[in-house]
Amino acid sequence: MPVPSELLEELLAKPVGPALTGREAQERDYTRKIEVNGSTASIEVAIPIENVEDDTALSFLAAEGLDPTDWEVTGFRRSEWESGDELKTSVRFTYKRSEKPLRAPLPLDEIFDGLADYTPIYDRPTGSYGFLVLVGDMQFGKIDGDGVEGTLHRTVECLNLAADWLDRYREIFDIGHVHIAWLGDHVEGFVSQGGANTWRTQLTLNEQIRLTRRVMLHSLKTFAPMAEKVSLAAVPGNHGEAVRFGGTGLTRYDDSHDTEALIAVADAAAMLPEAFGHVDFFVPDTDELIVMTEVAGTKVAHHHGHKWRPGKHFDWWSGQAFNRDSAMHVADLLVSGHLHHRHIEQDGSRLFIGTPAMESDSTWFRHNTGTGGAPGLIVAITKDGHTPIEHMIAAEGVGN
Ligand SMILES: [Mn+2]
């Protein structure tokens, strides 16, 4: 990215309003004066010079609700004046916004290094209960919220935390089947909204798919040793659609990067039957969107969730179940993603679990509704059609 010339900077300048601060930052020290003007800022503060240390300049930015990593310190000035008999001092720091273009290439090698193995030691326990790990909407590639790196670290950490929860639940339930559901929109892709998301998508399509595949691989390596029976399912999300013609036309409903990533993992696992021979992989049949599989006697239907209006999951389900060719009439549990928030609802013996997204925030949704993200995944305990326990796992120390 070339350094902008002065002319360019001048012609790109815009009248930015005062810095927006959250409630906490408004409780400011009124002996401070801050000015933010586009790509420059200054803070003047009445403190003794001996209190100025290396990180003082940036710590004042943080106190004002700005992200210090977005700024560089460019200047420092000290003033002294007499007030009565007292000599007072104040310091003034100036800053400029770091040149960190949104679309700069990401350090992918470092990101992949972060996918360290996490293998709890277990002799593939047996048991009658199933443990579900429900993951939706990473939308790798999107710049929203804490971006690709935040979403990636959150996803890996949540999977690791899910393995820890399995460890805890095993003290109460004999768990013999671990099932990981990949509920779609794992890549941001370039087909959504007719490609209108392209500028805000930071990774190439293959990079998005590679991250998805490797995160799925991480889940396989993590959970494969943890039960005598392990399964992974993936369903196509709208963002994962491989091709759209004229903005809407599909090839087939099963033509999806979300599911192809899991097929690649299945192919790799087949090469190591001693490690992964007990693991099953499921994607929808040709031109289908649903995976139906049984976990510890519970019939679990997977669907990304883009074929019903928000809140209308039971209407959609009952419509599908009316078709005698559909397996939906035997399903006990429907799991889906797409709506980016946790939504759990029971209707008679049927249970619906909508998972949160793994991305931290949908900027579009926040601007439209005011609601920010509450990312995470859901784990559940199931047996014989009943799912008595389900809860969300959010990453600790990674964004939200
Ligand atoms: Mn979706």
Side-chain angles (χ1 to χ4, degrees), residues 137 139 184-185 237-239 304 306 337-340:
D137 302 80
Q139 298 191 206
D185 281 1
N238 47 309
H239 281 266
H304 175 60
H306 54 309
H338 189 56
L339 291 177
H340 291 212

Side-chain angles (χ1 to χ4, degrees), residues 89 139-140 156 158 169 178 187 233 239 273 285:
T89 61
Q139 298 191 206
F140 282 139
V156 172
C158 284
Y169 279 126
V178 173
V187 297
H239 281 266
D285 204 346

Side-chain angles (χ1 to χ4, degrees), residues 290 292 316-317 319-331:
I290 302 170
M292 179 78 79
W316 175 87
W317 186 346
Q320 297 294 317
F322 191 66
N323 175 355
R324 65 174 65 192
D325 294 331
S326 167
M328 285 307 296
H329 68 283
V330 298

Side-chain angles (χ1 to χ4, degrees), residues 108-163:
L108 281 187
D109 288 340
E110 286 168 35
I111 290 176
F112 292 141
D113 288 346
L115 289 173
D117 283 1
Y118 177 91
T119 310
I121 298 157
Y122 276 115
D123 295 332
R124 291 203 213 148
T126 59
S128 61
Y129 280 86
F131 181 76
L132 305 173
V133 182
L134 311 177
V135 194
D137 302 80
M138 286 105 76
Q139 298 191 206
F140 282 139
K142 199 173 170 184
I143 64 171
D144 290 22
D146 55 11
V148 175
E149 285 162 283
T151 302
L152 177 70
H153 287 115
R154 185 178 305 102
T155 307
V156 172
E157 188 180 347
C158 284
L159 288 166
N160 294 349
L161 289 169

